[in-house]
Amino acid sequence: MRRFAKQSMAQFSSQLMQSFSLLATKQTGIALWDDPTWRSCLLENNWVGASWPLSWGGPGWTSEQKFRWYRACHQSFEDYVEPPEIRDVGPCLQRWGNHRGRGLMAGITSLDVRWSLALFEGSFTPADFATKLASSWRLSGSKTQVRFALRADRLLVVAKQGEKFVLLDIASDTPGIEIAPMVGLAGDVTLAQIQFNDVLVTEEQIAGELESSEALRQLCYQTVSLELGRSGAIERQLVAARQQVEAGVAASAEFSSRLAELEIALQALVIMEKRVVAASATDVPSPIPWSLLQAQGLALQLEVGELVLDTFGYYALPYPDEISLHNEGPIGSSSGMTASRSMLRATEQVNYANLAGDLYDIAAEELLSGADRVGMHEKIATE
């Protein structure tokens, strides 16, 4: 029985990789979701919300299938990322949305509506929550680190109304909303700052409610939660570094030793991921808190990024200054820019994850607070 299950999973992974290879798309990052062939592939196979349960409109995959899905995506597509409507907004509406909020899911599952979740602020203590919906139905405040806000048709805004927190469905072009792009370390724009200046909303725009500060905290954890299979992205980088070694570009003994150590560390990360996957399929609490696993994964990704940069050198490090760089041609191999951007994006991911609290502190809290809380966060992370 175990052998049959292993063979089935291997076949599942093979089918995913084959389907992805037939797409022949060169899109990376969020641009992949604008590719017609990728969108058709997702819709035809019911893969839009790959990590969602059946009740949400997802495929209802097991944890093992989800794990293999994300590994395949990270291995097949450079800088793979899920858009906020899939990663953040859909799960938020399913957990805390009202009847109208859940009705918004149709536009998400059909990939017709692009969303962003406006959640984080400069201070995230619930008592200091500054974005508020007044009794006059005017929304004021600001949000920071809003993912892919510039592409969003609609915003799901978390605001304080009296003593509760509400989810507001607001069109991104509503009068009074100012969206300022935040140029990332890699020179691209993934995040944005949003200002709400007496934005008029109606009661019908309330899409859900967070009944307590604890629910607000759960939403924070969900937003930066673990994506099992991210080891696939690290593997892509290590394969590129290994190719440089085999080509004789980076043949020093020190470099080869560092590469071998990181390849072993990657295998350890994969084993940790598989342990979480195996535990999630049973009633036994996971031996590894999701936050600790995520912190380990990000730390390894940074180490690998440093190694890859050492392999290619700091070739064409992206610096968003067209005046200084307009006469400079490419230096080094074409993989140099990819290596640089991967390293800088990993740094940004660490900074973004820390918005919800230091991941090691979260892991320590989970370990000390008992299995129930660990189980709760594992459920959030793997659904």
Side-chain angles (χ1 to χ4, degrees):
M1 185 69 178
R2 183 175 298 179
R3 179 183 298 178
F4 175 75
K6 188 174 182 179
Q7 291 175 344
S8 296
M9 285 299 102
Q11 184 178 11
F12 177 77
S13 295
S14 177
Q15 289 174 342
L16 288 178
M17 296 296 287
Q18 183 179 7
S19 296
F20 294 165
S21 66
L22 294 175
L23 297 180
T25 178
K26 295 183 179 180
Q27 297 294 344
T28 64
I30 196 67
L32 175 66
W33 294 80
D34 292 328
D35 187 283
T37 60
W38 173 245
R39 292 167 62 90
S40 297
C41 177
L42 295 177
L43 292 169
E44 290 171 5
N45 293 285
N46 189 30
W47 291 345
V48 172
S51 63
W52 295 356
L54 282 171
S55 59
W56 294 9
W61 282 340
T62 65
S63 297
E64 175 73 13
Q65 287 173 308
K66 295 174 189 176
F67 169 65
R68 290 177 179 264
W69 161 268
Y70 283 114
R71 271 192 63 83
C73 289
H74 285 297
Q75 288 174 318
S76 302
F77 308 111
E78 182 183 327
D79 193 29
Y80 175 76
V81 61
E82 281 184 331
E85 56 266 23
I86 305 298
R87 177 78 173 161
D88 305 323
V89 175
C92 179
L93 290 173
Q94 288 291 356
R95 291 191 175 100
W96 294 288
N98 54 24
H99 179 73
R100 182 183 180 280
R102 291 193 177 93
L104 298 171
M105 291 295 297
I108 294 177
T109 55
S110 62
L111 296 177
D112 289 331
V113 184
R114 299 171 175 176
W115 287 82
S116 279
L117 176 65
L119 171 62
F120 292 115
E121 301 184 6
S123 171
F124 209 78
T125 304
D128 299 330
F129 208 73
T131 305
K132 297 180 180 179
L133 181 61
S135 57
S136 60
W137 293 97
R138 295 279 179 173
L139 178 69
S140 298
S142 63
K143 297 290 184 179
T144 189
Q145 307 284 306
V146 183
R147 296 175 64 245
F148 302 112
L150 293 180
R151 70 182 279 279
D153 304 310
R154 308 200 69 81
L155 304 171
L156 188 65
V157 184
V158 182
K160 193 169 185 180
Q161 184 184 39
E163 297 301 316
K164 63 184 179 181
F165 304 96
V166 292
L167 306 172
L168 300 174
D169 163 29
I170 304 177
S172 58
D173 59 354
T174 300
I177 294 180
E178 298 178 7
I179 302 178
M182 301 172 67
V183 179
L185 295 175
D188 52 6
V189 178
T190 298
L191 305 172
Q193 186 95 14
I194 301 182
Q195 185 72 34
F196 300 95
N197 303 305
D198 287 330
V199 177
L200 179 63
V201 298
T202 65
E203 187 173 1
E204 288 71 30
Q205 289 176 262
I206 295 180
E209 179 181 324
L210 304 174
E211 64 278 3
S212 65
S213 58
E214 176 59 26
L216 179 63
R217 192 170 92 153
Q218 289 183 33
L219 177 56
C220 292
Y221 285 4
Q222 170 196 289
T223 304
V224 296
S225 65
L226 173 70
E227 184 179 274
L228 287 173
R230 183 165 288 277
S231 54
I234 300 175
E235 184 175 346
R236 279 177 62 94
Q237 290 184 290
L238 286 179
V239 168
R242 176 60 68 184
Q243 289 172 345
Q244 292 295 99
V245 171
E246 294 174 351
V249 177
S252 70
E254 179 186 359
F255 180 85
S256 297
S257 177
R258 288 174 60 196
L259 177 57
E261 290 175 357
L262 290 175
E263 287 173 335
I264 294 172
L266 173 61
Q267 294 307 310
L269 178 64
V270 172
I271 291 172
M272 291 172 67
E273 288 181 326
K274 288 183 176 179
R275 290 182 66 189
V276 170
V277 169
S280 63
T282 68
D283 294 329
V284 178
S286 172
I288 306 168
W290 68 265
S291 49
L292 179 58
L293 181 55
Q294 183 180 18
Q296 289 289 95
L298 288 173
L300 180 57
Q301 194 168 356
L302 288 174
E303 289 186 60
V304 171
E306 292 174 2
L307 177 74
V308 175
L309 279 181
D310 288 345
T311 307
F312 297 107
Y314 286 79
Y315 300 131
L317 264 175
Y319 184 77
D321 184 349
E322 296 179 358
I323 296 177
S324 299
L325 299 180
H326 73 284
N327 284 330
E328 295 186 13
I331 305 172
S333 68
S334 60
S335 300
M337 177 66 82
T338 300
S340 299
R341 291 186 181 278
S342 296
M343 173 61 178
L344 295 174
R345 287 196 181 100
T347 303
E348 291 176 341
Q349 289 170 358
V350 172
N351 295 336
Y352 183 74
N354 284 339
L355 283 173
D358 185 82
L359 288 172
Y360 284 104
D361 288 343
I362 297 172
E365 179 184 347
E366 291 174 345
L367 287 170
L368 294 173
S369 60
D372 289 343
R373 184 175 293 277
V374 173
M376 176 188 71
H377 291 310
E378 291 292 356
K379 184 172 185 293
I380 290 175
T382 57
E383 278 188 344

